[in-house]
Amino acid sequence: MDIFTEIKESLRLKALREFTTEELLTEIRTRTCLGNILSDFRHLFNQQNFALFQAFIFGFIANRGNGTLTELYQCSGSETKYWSFPKFLSRGQWSADAVAAVLIRRIQHAFPSWVYVYDETKALKTGVSQWGLHFFRNFSYQKHRVNQSKFHYGHEFGALGLLCQTATQWHLFPVWVKLILPQSIRDKSQAVLKRPCSKIAPGLIIFDRGFARRKVFTMALSFGHHILCRAKSNAVFYRLPKHPKRRHRGRPRKYGDRLDIRRLRYKEVDIGGKSYSITSKVVRTKMCDADVRLVVIRNRPKVSKPYRYFCVFTTDLTLEIPQIVEYYRQRWQIETAFRDTKQHFGFDAYRVKSRKSINRCVQLSFVAASLTKLLFTTPNATQKAISVEKVRQHLGIHWYRPEKLTQGLRVAYLRSQMAIAAFSAKFKQKTNSQNINVSFQDDTPPSFDKAA
């Protein structure tokens, strides 16, 4: 072994001493577990595209910037050229819907208790050369108590999440996303919602009250799904019609008398450690053809104020009242999932132009976000023993003490483990990564003949 090899070996050992053996073993288990999960997607790609798919997932998890293609390429550790990344999004032979289907099946296999959650989100853009940009209002501006109703342009997406229940808590995995374009028949909101409903397994879909429309419910029920939605403030419900004692001419009545929720009998129900004044009744509504179970929660902030009513209805009549309330209360996790994908996984930082590239890029960011959470929540995962206290100590956080692991802590922990691997692997190469030529200057004076 020459002197240069000894110097490089000593530098590598010095760098490895900064990390404990437990951290290195945890990092190896993390990458191994993530590689096993990614192997489920192998049949969807050829050899080159599968390597790029893995590079995208590792890039979305490891990047610490906005999540642009340049940052993903730098963080992925891919040995290919940079231009393979945009070509993979625009001209690669693979389907984003097939990737979402495999992800859904993997999560459903890991968690037997699950329901769907559907919602829409927006991404503000600063360029004008991308496909599908349109204006939408932003009412958050207030000036002298007058709404300015300013406009922003960007993209709107329809997203599907999978809400899963474990023995201790609920987890929402963002699994499917598609671009919405109001001016196109193919990419309207109704058409975007129809695509996942026609391909996923039948189940319960939770909607916000903005989707309380007859077209949405009729389409979802036609594919065998059940719906759970919050009613609008002007929603009207009817009692079930009474069968007449004698047969009359004409068609039988479809709707009974109009329901007045203020005259229903309420009772105190304990759900999740809180007491609610709740009533329930099977009624009918003109928003869908099936009978629905209406659950009404009333509360009074002050004795001098009137009651406030919160109405939720579902077509699945087998669900109990506490389960219906808990399902809709956990629906809010899809909003936090949108926030996490935008902050940590570059959901709104894409710089591609075509419709296909945009759909594929945001779908890969959803896959990376779901796999990150799946590493820590799967019952047989290697990370199941990692506690909040251990993550806080590893990251050096002493001012933040959450009750459970958040997505931000998961991402920070995985990125630190990947940084350990990248730092240690750099010294295992045969040549220096900076291509620095190490040389020594000989201070021995030359002989008289050579000097002359």
Side-chain angles (χ1 to χ4, degrees), residues 212-257:
R213 302 188 298 269
R214 184 177 179 86
K215 291 183 179 180
V216 173
F217 297 157
T218 303
M219 185 269 298
L221 293 175
S222 63
F223 291 105
H225 300 286
H226 286 290
I227 60 173
L228 174 61
C229 184
R230 179 183 174 184
K232 295 182 178 180
S233 59
N234 60 349
V236 179
F237 296 94
Y238 302 89
R239 298 179 182 271
L240 298 180
K242 298 180 180 180
H243 297 285
K245 297 181 180 179
R246 296 181 182 180
R247 186 176 181 180
H248 299 282
R249 296 179 59 182
R251 293 181 299 177
R253 294 186 62 182
K254 189 175 181 180
Y255 304 98
D257 299 334

Side-chain angles (χ1 to χ4, degrees), residues 376 386-396 405 409 413:
F376 290 85
I386 297 179
S387 61
V388 180
E389 187 65 25
K390 184 177 180 180
V391 173
R392 288 177 56 251
Q393 292 179 359
H394 176 79
L395 299 176
L405 279 177
L409 290 178
Y413 184 78

Side-chain angles (χ1 to χ4, degrees), residues 17 54 96 155 171 182 200 245 270 272 283 286 290 292 310 313 374 393 403 413 416 438:
R17 291 192 196 101
Q54 289 180 312
H155 290 132
H171 301 282
I200 60 179
K245 297 181 180 179
D270 189 12
V283 296
K286 294 186 178 180
V292 298
F310 182 88
F313 62 94
L374 194 64
Q393 292 179 359
E403 297 179 357
Y413 184 78
S416 65
V438 182

Side-chain angles (χ1 to χ4, degrees), residues 342-373:
K342 292 176 182 179
Q343 288 183 355
H344 305 296
F345 298 98
F347 177 83
D348 56 349
Y350 50 86
R351 298 294 185 267
V352 290
K353 297 181 179 180
S354 64
R355 176 183 60 86
K356 180 187 292 186
S357 299
I358 294 174
N359 283 325
R360 288 180 169 182
C361 187
V362 295
Q363 180 62 51
L364 291 177
S365 67
F366 264 37
V367 174
S370 296
L371 295 185
T372 301
K373 185 175 290 188

Side-chain angles (χ1 to χ4, degrees), residues 415-426:
R415 287 175 180 174
S416 65
Q417 299 295 337
M418 290 182 177
I420 293 174
F423 189 73
S424 60
K426 182 174 65 174

